Amino acid sequence: MDGEPQYSIQVRDWKADDAVAATDFSFKNPTDAEKVDLKDLRGTDELPEHFQIGEAQ
């Protein structure tokens, strides 16, 4: 599709047994980045014009 993101993923050392723990998939923030609530960005120029905030799930 035109305008859609394009990417590829290479998976290596795939684990599919008990060696995989939930903590293997936890987010580790290596920087001082902070979570931003999208509702706080309404009315600012931080979001693209076509961005729409939906209902929380």
Side-chain angles (χ1 to χ4, degrees), residues 39-52:
K39 289 183 274 185
D40 295 338
L41 298 178
R42 285 186 180 158
T44 69
D45 59 355
E46 296 291 323
L47 297 174
E49 291 180 18
H50 66 280
F51 191 85
Q52 294 181 359

Side-chain angles (χ1 to χ4, degrees), residues 4-54:
E4 296 299 316
Q6 296 180 6
Y7 57 89
S8 64
I9 298 174
Q10 293 182 354
V11 179
R12 297 182 182 162
D13 298 324
W14 186 261
K15 298 177 188 176
D17 56 13
D18 293 339
V20 180
T23 56
D24 292 340
F25 297 95
S26 62
F27 176 71
K28 296 171 184 74
N29 184 359
T31 67
D32 292 334
E34 297 178 12
K35 183 177 180 177
V36 175
D37 191 336
L38 294 178
K39 289 183 274 185
D40 295 338
L41 298 178
R42 285 186 180 158
T44 69
D45 59 355
E46 296 291 323
L47 297 174
E49 291 180 18
H50 66 280
F51 191 85
Q52 294 181 359
I53 297 175

